[in-house]
Amino acid sequence: MAYETIEIETHGRVGLIRLNRPQALNALNARLIAELDNALGGFDRDADIGCIVLTGSEKAFAAGADIKEMRDKSFVDAFLDDFIGRWDAVARARKPIVAAVGGFALGGGCELAMMCDIVLAADTAQFGQPEIKLGVIPGAGGTQRLTRAVGKAKAMDLVLTGRMMGAEEAERAGLVARVVPAAELVVEALKTAAAIAALSLPAVLIAKEAVNRAFETTLAEGIRQERRLFYALFATEDQKEGMSAFVEKRKAAFANR
Ligand code: CAA
């Protein structure tokens, strides 16, 4: 697939995807979502990739779903086509995705960041769910993932007023893992992703799965499942290597399979 709205690069075992529709502040149209789905699927299946970075431009991670493309849709168009359903590819990826967010992450842009596993924000980042100002509500998880991330008080504040929240506030609220200077955003994201990609891939995939279970199940069931997954990792070469390396005071060399 020839990409028009994204760019992809590989940096060692890290796959980088850059949203690239500068004329529309990376608004997420059907073409971009199809390309993102294709690129993510490619990296997710590629045995030489251990972690993915998703970023935008300095001005915008993404300013939301493409309003010009959505404006004339009827309910039946939207319902039958289920265009937001295609965004789920991001949440379905098995490998970890680090979102490197600079500038605007609004509406679907904020929702896209929240589908990722670690959100790094530039100090210039602005998060928000402004859909209410368009006469609609968030449609790609904004009312659900945002509420789980920041709690009801702040989620209601953002979803009902449509106001933007800066990077520092987003970090305090628990939406963002770390805030970094804008000029260092992508380098920091690549560094974080490279560190993850150097670890045992089975352990990394299982760790992601286990944390995500916390949002889907009861505490007792989640803990039971975590313990099973923990024991299961004793079947990997990487567990033997990781623990032997610690005992022998050397750096672990994971087989990554
Ligand atoms: N869809 C389509 N085009 C968009 C867009 C969007 N979401 N956001 C920005 N653009 C376009 C603008 O129309 C403009 O294009 P033209 O030059 O052709 O007019 C270009 O990008 C630059 O934007 P602005 O001139 O508006 O730039 P600004 O710096 O003055 O403002 C902004 C930046 C505050 C982000 C403003 O563009 C804005 O408010 N954008 C819309 C944000 C929004 O409402 N997002 C939610 C979308 S709905 C959604 O996402 C639903 C969902 O949950 C799935």
Side-chain angles (χ1 to χ4, degrees):
M1 185 177 197
Y3 297 136
E4 291 168 9
T5 61
I6 65 169
E7 293 172 346
I8 64 169
E9 294 164 16
T10 53
H11 296 255
R13 287 180 49 77
V14 176
L16 173 75
I17 302 176
R18 192 186 306 275
L19 307 181
N20 185 33
R21 282 190 78 207
Q23 72 286 6
L25 300 183
N26 293 335
L28 305 160
N29 65 0
R31 172 91 205 179
L32 187 150
I33 293 295
E35 292 184 7
L36 180 58
D37 185 359
N38 186 275
L40 268 178
F43 283 145
D44 214 28
R45 287 187 296 273
D46 185 341
D48 294 330
I49 295 294
C51 191
I52 300 161
V53 172
L54 179 60
T55 195
S57 68
E58 239 171 75
K59 176 138 197 227
F61 178 71
D66 191 311
I67 299 167
K68 293 167 189 166
E69 194 179 68
M70 283 187 299
R71 181 179 60 171
D72 295 327
K73 282 188 196 292
S74 67
F75 163 74
V76 172
D77 291 337
F79 181 66
L80 293 186
D81 184 42
D82 190 23
F83 66 107
I84 298 293
R86 287 193 278 280
W87 297 33
D88 288 347
V90 184
R92 273 200 313 270
R94 296 180 77 207
K95 289 178 184 161
I97 309 177
V98 178
V101 178
F104 298 112
L106 301 178
C110 185
E111 292 168 307
L112 194 61
M114 291 190 293
M115 288 179 203
C116 298
D117 303 299
I118 298 178
V119 182
L120 293 192
D123 46 15
T124 57
Q126 295 275 335
F127 296 85
Q129 297 290 163
E131 290 89 342
I132 200 79
K133 295 183 180 170
L134 301 170
V136 291
I137 67 166
T143 64
Q144 303 303 300
R145 289 197 180 90
L146 184 66
T147 307
R148 281 168 166 77
V150 305
K152 176 178 167 181
K154 207 165 276 281
M156 282 290 189
D157 181 17
L158 292 166
V159 170
L160 292 179
T161 68
R163 81 169 174 89
M164 292 188 216
M165 150 167 98
E168 299 292 340
E169 183 182 355
E171 186 186 22
R172 277 199 308 278
L175 183 63
V176 157
R178 257 184 288 146
V179 180
V180 299
E184 292 162 27
L185 176 68
V186 175
V187 170
E188 275 302 316
L190 287 172
K191 235 193 260 174
T192 302
I196 294 169
L199 299 171
S200 163
L201 186 58
V204 165
L205 298 189
I206 285 179
K208 168 170 169 164
E209 187 183 317
V211 172
N212 280 333
R213 285 303 291 167
F215 295 100
E216 308 282 350
T217 192
T218 62
L219 180 61
E221 185 51 37
I223 285 179
R224 206 174 72 89
Q225 194 161 4
E226 178 194 77
R227 200 160 302 162
R228 293 264 189 284
L229 293 170
F230 174 71
Y231 295 150
L233 285 169
F234 285 72
T236 64
E237 283 174 39
D238 287 342
Q239 174 266 333
K240 300 289 175 284
E241 169 60 14
M243 294 193 181
S244 300
F246 175 81
V247 173
E248 293 160 15
K249 301 188 187 301
R250 60 176 173 81
K251 193 172 175 332
F254 292 113
N256 268 312
R257 62 190 168 80

